[in-house]
Amino acid sequence: MASGFPELWDTRGFSRGLDAAFNGLVATWGETLEALFMPVLRLLGLMEKGLQALPWWLVALALAALAWHAARNWRTVAVVLALTLALGLIGVWDAAMATIALMLMATALSILAGIPIGVLMSRVDRLRVAALPVLDIMQTMPIFVYLIPFVMLFGPGKIPALLATIVFAIPPVIRLTDLGIRQVDPEIVEASRAFGASPGQQLWTVQVPLALPAIMAGVNQTTMMALSMVVIASMIGAGGLGYQVLQGIQRLEVSRGLLAGLGIVFLAIIFDRIAQSYGRRMQKSLKLES
Amino acid sequence: MAGGVKIRVENVSKIFGADPAAALARVWDGMGKTELLEATGHVLGLHEINLDIREGETFVIMGLSGSGKSTLIRHFNRLIEPTAGRILVDGENVLGLGPAALRAFRRHKASMVFQRFALLPHKTVLENVIYGLIIDGAPRQEARDRGMRQIELVGLAGFEGRYPGQLSGGMQQRVGLARALATDAEILLMDEAFSALDPLIRHDMQMQLRDIQSRLHKTIVFITHDLDEALLLGNHIAILKDGRLRQVGTGAGILMAPADDYVARFVRDVNRARTVTCGALAEPGPVFPSPQAASGASGWVIISDGSGGHGLMRAGGGVRNGEAQLEDAVTIEASANVEEAFGALARRDRPLVVMADGRPSGLLAWQSVLRALQRDGGRHPAPERDA
Ligand SMILES: Nc1ncnc2c1ncn2[C@@H]1O[C@H](COP(=O)(O)OP(=O)(O)OP(=O)(O)O)[C@@H](O)[C@H]1O
Ligand SMILES: [Mg+2]
C-alpha cells in the first residue's frame, strides 16, 4: 500500500508465531482442559434439563418469590411474574431456561472467583496495579475475540461459551469488591485491630460485611453482563435464546428472530429488576445502621 | 494506690510522611512542627516523649487539637509504630512483640475507647460490646452475659439490639466504653471518651470510672480537653503542645506552678473553687488562749473552750462590761474545696474556722477566697485582658 503505515516490524511473522504457539497449546493441553471442565459441563447440563423439566408455574412462582424477597413490593413481583409468563406465551420457554442455566452458572463461577480476587487486590497494592489494566482490557476487548481461543481449546459448545462469558462478566465483581473493601472506614478497621483481631478476622468481621453493598452492586453488574454475553455466546453452540436468534438470521425467519429477541429482553428486565431491588435494599439497610 | 511503673515511654518520636528518619534528623536540628511541614511535607506527631505511668493510676493527657494526644495513646497498643524510641509495658518492649503476642496483648492487656467511637455499624450494640470477647474465642453465652452487664453499667439496658446508627452520639460513646470494659483489660486507653456526653451522664461516667478505678485498680490513660475533668480524674496530668511534652505533674502542682506561659494559659479557665482547698487559703488565726494573743490578719481571734467548742471574738473589741462577747464560729474542714465554703461565707460577715485534724488551724475570710479565684490565683495583680 502506497500510503500505508511503514512496516516497521514483521507483523505477519508475529501473528504466525502466536498462532503456532496457541496451536501447540491446544494440541498439548486441549484434552486435559476438556477433561478438567467435564464436571462443569455435566452440572450445566443438569441445570438446564432440571429447569426445563420443572413445571412452568413452579419456575414462575420461584422467580416471583425471588422478586418479593428482593423488592418487598407487589409491583415488582407483578412485573416479574407477567414477563415470566410471557416467555411461555411467545413459545421460547425451553430456550429461555437454557439461557438462564448458562447465565446462572457463569454468574456463580464469576462470583466464586471474583470476590477472592477482589479481596486479594484490596490487600496487595502491587496486584491491584497489575490487575486494573487487565480488567480494563477484558471489558473493552470485543467479545468475539474471546470466542476464538476458547473455541480452539474446547471446540464449539457450552464450555467455551461459559468461559468467554466469565471473562467478560467477571471484572465488575472484582473491581467493586476491591473498591468496597478499600472504602471501609479505616478507623473501624483500626478498632477491630485494637481489640486483637487477626487479619482474617478483620476481613470477615469488618471489611467484607461493610463492603457488601459494593460487592452486591458488582454482582448485579456481573449478572447483567453475563446475560448479555450468554446471548452472543450462543453462536458458538451454547444453545438457548441466542441460538434461536442466530437461526432466525440464518433461515431468514423474521418471526423466529423477533420472538427470541423479545425473550432476551424479558429475561433482561426480570433479572435487572431483581438485582436492582437487592442493591437498593442493601444500601438502605446500611444507611440505617451506620 | 499507685504501684510500680506500668507503662514507660522512652524517647518516643513520631513523624508522619515518606521519609520519617530524615525528617526526624531535622527536628533534632531544632526545626519546629510548622517549619517541618512547610520544608519537607512531613508532620511532626511527637518528639522525644518520656513518661512513666504508674500501675493503678489515672494518667491524663491534655493539649490543644492537633498536639499529638491521639497519636501518643495509639503508641501504647502499637496501633502506631514510633519513628524512634521504645514503649515498655510491665517492663516488656511492646515493639518487640510478634504478631500473635501483639494480638494477645490487645485482647487481654490493653483496651481502647476511640475519640470518634469507631463502632461497627453492621453489628448491634451487644455484638459491638462483646466484639473483643468473640474475637478472642470466648463462648457466645458467656460473652453475652458479660456484655449485658457492661451495657447495664453504662446505662444502655434495653438498647442492646439496636444498631449504632440508631443511637445518639453520647449513647454511641457509652457503647464504646462498654466495649472497652468488657475485655477486662488491665489498661484502659481512653481517647476523649466522655467528650460527647451531656453533663449529667458525663458526671455519672466520671464517678463510675473512679469507682472502677478504685475497685479494680486499672491503669487508665485518659485524654480530655476539659481541665476540670483532668483535675477530677487524673493522678497525674501531662500537657502536650505541637508533639512535645510541656509539663507532667499532679493537678495541683500544675495549677500552682505552671512550667511556662502555654501551660499557664491552659489552666487559666479552670474552676479554681473546686480545686483549691480551704486549708490552702486559711490565714493563721490566733487561737486563744495562746502565747501570742495578737489579732490575726482578719481581725478575729478564735476562742477555744478547751472541750472542742469554738467561738470567735473581734480582736481589740468584743469585751463589754468585763465579759467577752463571743460569737458563734462556723467550722469547715481544711480538705474541703473552696466552693463548699461559699454558702457559709455568704451568710455571715465573719470568717470561717478551718479545722485540720480536729483542731482549728486558721481562718478563712471571703476576701482571700475572692483573691484566690482570680485567674492567676491572686499571686499577681489582675492582668490586663489581652486584646
Ligand atoms: N496518619 C497520619 N498521617 C499524617 N499526619 C497525621 C496522622 N495522624 C495524625 N497526624 C498529625 O499528627 C498531629 C497530631 O494529631 P493527633 O490526632 O494526635 O492530635 P490530637 O491531639 O489527638 O488532636 P484532637 O484533640 O483534635 O483529637 C496532627 O498534626 C495530625 O495532622
Ligand atoms: Mg485526638
Side-chain angles (χ1 to χ4, degrees):
Chain A
M1 276 179 277
S3 64
F5 195 86
E7 197 177 309
L8 298 177
W9 58 295
D10 181 13
T11 48
R12 257 161 300 167
F14 171 76
S15 303
R16 231 176 283 127
L18 194 65
D19 292 342
F22 194 75
N23 283 332
L25 197 78
V26 172
T28 41
W29 292 103
E31 277 181 30
T32 324
L33 279 174
E34 223 164 319
L36 212 67
F37 279 97
M38 260 334 266
V40 181
L41 189 61
R42 286 232 185 82
L43 193 61
L44 187 58
L46 223 63
M47 239 169 105
E48 197 181 313
K49 292 269 144 37
L51 276 174
Q52 286 168 347
L54 283 180
W56 60 269
W57 50 267
L58 199 61
V59 175
L61 223 60
L63 283 175
L66 201 63
W68 171 252
H69 183 66
R72 300 286 151 89
N73 94 47
W74 288 112
R75 259 194 49 203
T76 312
V77 174
V79 170
V80 166
L81 198 61
L83 289 173
T84 312
L85 296 180
L87 284 175
L89 282 178
I90 61 175
V92 295
W93 184 268
D94 279 354
M97 290 305 115
T99 298
I100 290 179
L102 190 59
M103 184 207 76
L104 287 183
M105 191 78 185
T107 306
L109 290 179
S110 297
I111 293 169
L112 231 55
I115 291 180
I117 295 174
V119 168
L120 264 179
M121 256 172 79
S122 73
R123 314 209 122 197
V124 187
D125 278 321
R126 248 183 283 164
L127 181 65
R128 177 185 159 88
V129 169
L132 280 180
V134 175
L135 292 179
D136 286 336
I137 293 173
M138 280 161 75
Q139 275 184 298
T140 44
M141 187 80 88
I143 40 196
F144 290 100
V145 177
Y146 304 133
L147 296 180
I148 304 164
F150 284 125
V151 169
M152 285 176 67
L153 270 175
F154 298 97
K158 286 191 164 49
I159 289 295
L162 188 69
L163 290 180
T165 305
I166 290 174
V167 171
F168 183 67
I170 204 172
V173 69
I174 295 180
R175 243 185 241 283
L176 282 159
T177 301
D178 166 59
L179 187 73
I181 288 181
R182 279 169 191 271
Q183 276 178 343
V184 172
D185 184 348
E187 291 197 28
I188 297 175
V189 182
E190 185 184 46
S192 106
R193 215 151 49 93
F195 281 93
S198 64
Q201 285 172 325
Q202 287 167 43
L203 185 70
W204 289 114
T205 62
V206 177
Q207 292 173 305
V208 167
L210 289 179
L212 215 53
I215 295 175
M216 285 312 288
V219 169
N220 280 357
Q221 287 184 26
T222 291
T223 310
M224 297 318 292
M225 291 180 75
L227 183 61
S228 68
M229 183 63 183
V230 155
V231 172
I232 291 165
S234 300
M235 300 190 173
I236 53 170
L241 289 170
Y243 183 63
Q244 302 284 322
V245 176
L246 196 64
Q247 274 198 326
I249 295 171
Q250 282 168 345
R251 298 185 194 167
L252 295 178
E253 279 181 67
V254 176
S255 63
R256 187 190 280 264
L258 190 69
L259 289 181
L262 266 181
I264 290 168
V265 172
F266 292 168
L267 269 191
I269 296 176
I270 291 170
F271 283 101
D272 182 60
R273 283 296 143 91
I274 293 175
Q276 283 214 2
S277 306
Y278 265 119
R280 255 201 301 279
R281 259 205 342 169
M282 194 73 96
Q283 286 289 329
K284 232 189 263 162
S285 74
L286 203 81
K287 229 172 253 154
L288 176 79
E289 290 165 16
S290 69
Chain B
M1 162 222 76
V5 174
K6 187 81 176 170
I7 305 175
R8 165 164 288 170
V9 180
E10 277 181 5
N11 310 324
V12 163
S13 295
K14 176 67 188 178
I15 309 267
F16 294 104
D19 187 4
L24 184 59
R26 303 182 74 157
V27 174
W28 275 113
D29 291 340
M31 206 174 238
K33 180 168 174 160
T34 11
E35 298 137 286
L36 183 77
L37 185 62
E38 272 166 22
T40 68
H42 285 64
V43 180
L44 176 62
L46 295 170
H47 184 57
E48 272 299 288
I49 304 291
N50 284 286
L51 281 179
D52 277 348
I53 298 175
R54 306 196 147 271
E55 181 158 9
E57 80 165 331
T58 300
F59 191 96
V60 173
I61 302 172
M62 296 195 71
L64 298 181
S65 197
S67 57
K69 305 180 296 294
S70 298
T71 305
L72 179 57
I73 206 169
R74 277 177 166 75
H75 277 85
F76 297 158
N77 57 355
R78 216 174 122 191
L79 288 176
I80 294 181
E81 310 250 345
T83 306
R86 300 202 301 165
I87 292 110
L88 305 177
V89 174
D90 287 331
E92 191 177 13
N93 187 2
V94 178
L95 300 172
L97 299 175
L102 181 60
R103 280 201 294 277
F105 174 87
R106 288 171 175 164
R107 287 175 186 181
H108 307 298
K109 206 142 196 184
S111 64
M112 192 158 187
V113 183
F114 288 84
Q115 184 172 1
R116 279 182 291 261
F117 322 143
L119 301 177
L120 313 179
H122 58 298
K123 291 186 183 288
T124 62
V125 167
L126 179 63
E127 287 168 340
N128 264 285
V129 170
I130 62 177
Y131 183 72
L133 302 172
I134 296 296
I135 284 292
D136 192 31
R140 192 129 196 125
Q141 192 53 46
E142 189 193 314
R144 275 183 69 94
D145 293 345
R146 247 158 93 181
M148 288 307 294
R149 274 203 300 280
Q150 297 304 338
I151 288 174
E152 267 161 43
L153 193 70
V154 299
L156 285 179
F159 288 92
E160 61 271 7
R162 302 288 182 93
Y163 287 91
Q166 300 169 316
L167 305 182
S168 73
M171 290 160 96
Q172 292 184 36
Q173 192 154 56
R174 282 182 280 159
V175 176
L177 189 63
R179 177 173 68 176
L181 290 173
T183 65
D184 209 15
E186 301 157 30
I187 301 171
L188 273 177
L189 304 172
M190 306 178 73
D191 194 349
E192 302 197 24
F194 295 163
S195 60
L197 303 180
D198 65 65
L200 289 183
I201 290 177
R202 186 172 188 150
H203 186 255
D204 276 0
M205 288 290 134
Q206 288 168 346
M207 291 305 132
Q208 258 176 38
L209 193 68
R210 265 170 54 153
D211 179 50
I212 287 168
Q213 166 83 313
S214 60
R215 273 188 300 124
L216 306 174
H217 308 292
K218 289 187 186 298
T219 306
I220 300 176
V221 183
F222 193 96
I223 293 178
T224 178
H225 278 283
D226 178 349
L227 192 56
D228 286 323
E229 187 169 75
L231 292 166
L232 178 72
L233 296 175
N235 301 106
H236 288 98
I237 299 174
I239 296 185
L240 279 176
K241 176 174 192 270
D242 288 346
R244 292 182 167 95
L245 211 51
R246 283 307 181 89
Q247 190 169 8
V248 186
T250 61
I254 290 178
L255 266 191
M256 291 306 166
D260 55 27
D261 260 13
Y262 175 77
V263 178
R265 283 224 311 279
F266 216 92
V267 300
R268 244 167 71 124
D269 289 323
V270 71
N271 182 352
R272 284 162 199 284
R274 287 227 183 105
T275 45
V276 178
T277 61
C278 293
L281 295 184
E283 297 177 36
V287 181
F288 191 81
S290 79
Q292 79 286 32
S295 69
S298 50
W300 291 85
V301 179
I302 305 167
I303 309 292
S304 184
D305 67 3
S307 59
H310 307 287
L312 278 178
M313 201 174 81
R314 206 178 277 281
V319 181
R320 197 180 300 152
N321 304 331
E323 261 191 50
Q325 297 289 298
L326 263 189
E327 308 201 26
D328 296 340
V330 175
T331 61
I332 189 155
E333 283 300 318
S335 60
N337 65 38
V338 173
E339 201 175 61
E340 292 171 53
F342 282 178
L345 281 171
R347 256 178 268 119
R348 28 182 82 220
D349 58 352
R350 272 157 276 159
L352 306 181
V353 175
V354 178
M355 305 292 288
D357 301 327
R359 286 187 314 176
S361 70
L363 291 167
L364 179 67
W366 60 267
Q367 291 91 339
S368 38
V369 170
L370 286 185
R371 233 177 286 126
L373 293 187
Q374 270 180 267
R375 283 257 158 85
D376 58 358
R379 274 170 288 118
H380 311 289
E384 298 287 311
R385 279 198 149 269
D386 22 25

